[in-house]
Amino acid sequence: MEYKKVIFSGMQPSGFLTLGNYLGALKNWVKLQNEYDSYFCVVDMHAITVPKEPKDLRRNTLELLANYIASGINPDEVTLFIQSHVSAHAELGWVLNCITYNGELSRMTQFKDKSKKQESNAITAGLFTYPVLMAADILLYQADLVPVGEDQRQHLEITRDIAARFNNRYSDTFKIPDPFIAKEGAKIMSLQDPTSKMSKSDSNENSFILIKDDPDTVIRKFKRAVTDSIGVVSYNDEQPGVKNLINIYSKISGKTPDEIVSAYDGKGYAQFKEDVAEAVINELKPIQEKIDYLLKNKDYLEKIYLAGAQKAEIAARKTLRKVYKKIGFIPK
Ligand code: TYM
């Protein structure tokens, strides 16, 4: 059989996906899926690093799976599974915890950001060691490439450090993975403050587009998107709001930023915003319909995640067996 390189990626089932999740990660997965031996995971174990209602977690997990498929992930070609179904993630996570240093984890900017949002006595050890579990996810499958948005770059760096450390200490075991962070769309910004990342935890609902947003909501949010008083559609850092809209449009239409800028030469922001909104609405419509359909077919979703877990389990166990042997655990 022809050897394909491996990709691994995942998302947290923590509510509705944003346009940032979709353009920064999911859309790239869809592009790459056939070229690689692909593993896509719903990382429910990561989601519980902050408090979650069990019934919400259950619903969000299935919704995220439906979202993956509705966005174009082909469950017949890739391995699509739920993290907690493959216990090797927790097991390798523990081993890697034992070669990861407190100091390096306390430098993680996502930990600092997320822990600011929690009461100080509610910051869990799980939130702190989150990147180690993420390293386990990736290294179990000997992934060559990890397609993510810009905000995960630091987590990929620590994954590489942990893998190299293990290989040095116990001999070559893990493939050192590379991040795949696309040039455009790797950081979709807030529509209300284009200097910060689009995130659904933002208290201002106008700052993010959700995959589930209906056309009127999408139009309203883009109309209110913060731009500037320059009034010329151009692609530069002095106009971060316009730049963000161009990035969104570019990622959806496949046109380059330059092409977009020349198409709007002499036109104002109003027309441009309307066109961006329309492109987003057209992109989301079939996805929304497919999500609704899939969520009415839970048996189908179940079949997919059970088959995915079986396939993932085989690859993951193979790596875990090697790891256990190398560190000196007695095989049973
Ligand atoms: P999560 O669930 O926060 O986000 C999922 C993916 O969406 C990307 N993303 C964005 N991209 C562009 N612009 C934005 N505004 C934006 N917001 C989010 C993220 O970069 C990510 O790719 N730690 C991961 C989940 C994870 C994982 C893994 C990823 C766990 N194990 C192993 C890769 C490999 C996370 O919290 O993503």
Side-chain angles (χ1 to χ4, degrees), residues 104-146:
E104 50 189 348
L105 287 176
S106 43
R107 284 194 293 276
M108 295 289 112
T109 51
Q110 280 221 336
F111 172 71
K112 290 189 216 165
D113 291 347
K114 282 191 181 174
S115 51
K116 262 188 234 147
K117 291 183 190 146
Q118 304 286 320
E119 296 285 333
S120 64
N121 60 2
I123 301 167
T124 64
L127 188 63
F128 189 60
T129 63
Y130 177 115
V132 184
L133 181 60
M134 180 161 161
D137 297 342
I138 297 166
L139 300 178
L140 271 178
Y141 301 94
Q142 306 287 358
D144 294 277
L145 210 61
V146 184

Side-chain angles (χ1 to χ4, degrees), residues 8-14 17-26 29 41 43 46 64 83 110 114 130 133-135 137-138 146-153 155-156 185-190 196-200:
F8 181 96
S9 200
M11 292 193 186
Q12 296 190 65
S14 48
L17 289 191
T18 67
L19 192 61
N21 297 130
Y22 175 70
L23 296 181
L26 200 40
W29 301 2
C41 185
V43 294
H46 278 103
L64 184 52
Q83 188 185 27
Q110 280 221 336
K114 282 191 181 174
Y130 177 115
L133 181 60
M134 180 161 161
D137 297 342
I138 297 166
V146 184
V148 284
E150 179 62 43
D151 62 348
Q152 298 299 316
R153 189 185 288 281
H155 287 159
L156 257 297
K187 194 166 185 188
I188 301 296
M189 309 307 269
S190 154
S196 68
K197 185 183 78 167
M198 179 183 286
S199 158
K200 67 175 165 294

Side-chain angles (χ1 to χ4, degrees), residues 121-219:
N121 60 2
I123 301 167
T124 64
L127 188 63
F128 189 60
T129 63
Y130 177 115
V132 184
L133 181 60
M134 180 161 161
D137 297 342
I138 297 166
L139 300 178
L140 271 178
Y141 301 94
Q142 306 287 358
D144 294 277
L145 210 61
V146 184
V148 284
E150 179 62 43
D151 62 348
Q152 298 299 316
R153 189 185 288 281
Q154 200 186 27
H155 287 159
L156 257 297
E157 276 161 18
I158 197 173
T159 298
R160 289 166 59 89
D161 289 347
I162 294 171
R165 187 174 308 145
F166 189 98
N167 287 351
N168 275 334
R169 201 171 288 179
Y170 299 105
S171 81
D172 234 13
T173 309
F174 295 124
K175 181 86 63 67
I176 310 285
D178 284 313
F180 176 95
I181 299 172
K183 249 203 276 127
E184 265 116 35
K187 194 166 185 188
I188 301 296
M189 309 307 269
S190 154
L191 298 182
Q192 289 298 310
D193 170 13
T195 59
S196 68
K197 185 183 78 167
M198 179 183 286
S199 158
K200 67 175 165 294
S201 54
D202 201 311
S203 55
N204 182 350
E205 285 197 1
N206 287 323
S207 72
F208 52 78
I209 302 282
L210 296 176
I211 299 300
K212 72 160 183 79
D213 279 347
D214 59 39
D216 287 347
T217 309
V218 173
I219 290 175

